[in-house]
Amino acid sequence: MDNQKHRSYWQGIAQQRCPRCREGKLFKYPPYSLKFTEMYKECPHCGIPYEREPGFFYGAMYVSYAFQVALFVTVLVALNILMDEPPVWAYFAGVLVPLFVLFPHFFRYARTLYLYFFSGIQYDPEAGKKTQASQ
């Protein structure tokens, strides 16, 4: 019996792990480093390539755009509820500050969600074991 705990689908997304084995990391560096955009070419655990075709992750820009629109709408609603006729600078500050803070997360989760939903990679709990056994 294998003692390894398997991540659920949503845990794999939340922890930004490989959609096939849910063990290997997608990104090389932490979100608040200068290299926050660098992904592994293939899963360090099971070896499956992440980029399914050249330019695959261009579609993740639409997911990132949806995150940013959600942020803008949330800030707009929050400011209108909390302040009576907020000044223009409040809108700019209310959007730009969270946007700069959250941008690395928006970028990473957009790619993670795009990889999980549109790559066609199916979960295989035995994927990492097969690769490690052959080495």
Side-chain angles (χ1 to χ4, degrees):
M1 180 82 188
D2 186 8
N3 292 335
Q4 182 179 4
K5 181 183 173 188
H6 295 289
R7 288 178 176 85
S8 74
Y9 182 80
W10 297 108
Q11 284 175 323
I13 291 172
Q15 295 173 1
Q16 300 170 350
R17 300 298 176 144
C18 170
R20 182 175 177 209
C21 66
R22 296 186 191 151
E23 292 297 321
K25 292 182 176 184
L26 295 176
F27 295 94
K28 292 181 180 181
Y29 301 102
Y32 291 109
S33 71
L34 292 176
K35 297 180 179 182
F36 72 92
T37 61
E38 287 191 32
M39 291 182 72
Y40 290 103
K41 298 280 184 207
E42 58 187 36
C43 177
H45 189 258
C46 71
I48 193 166
Y50 289 140
E51 191 166 4
R52 308 308 294 163
E53 59 188 28
F56 174 75
F57 286 110
Y58 284 136
M61 289 187 300
Y62 295 104
V63 180
S64 180
Y65 177 72
F67 288 156
Q68 292 174 28
V69 168
L71 174 69
F72 294 165
V73 169
T74 302
V75 168
L76 175 76
V77 170
L79 286 176
N80 283 319
I81 289 173
L82 296 174
M83 302 173 83
D84 186 35
E85 295 185 33
V88 174
W89 67 265
Y91 288 114
F92 281 113
V95 168
L96 292 178
V97 171
L99 185 61
F100 282 118
V101 171
L102 295 174
F103 180 74
H105 295 288
F106 285 173
F107 177 87
R108 287 169 164 242
Y109 279 108
R111 283 193 168 203
T112 302
L113 289 171
Y114 198 74
L115 187 61
Y116 267 77
F117 293 149
F118 300 110
S119 69
I121 299 173
Q122 299 297 318
Y123 174 60
D124 180 9
E126 303 297 319
K129 296 175 194 167
K130 293 175 193 171
T131 305
Q132 292 171 353
S134 66
Q135 292 179 351

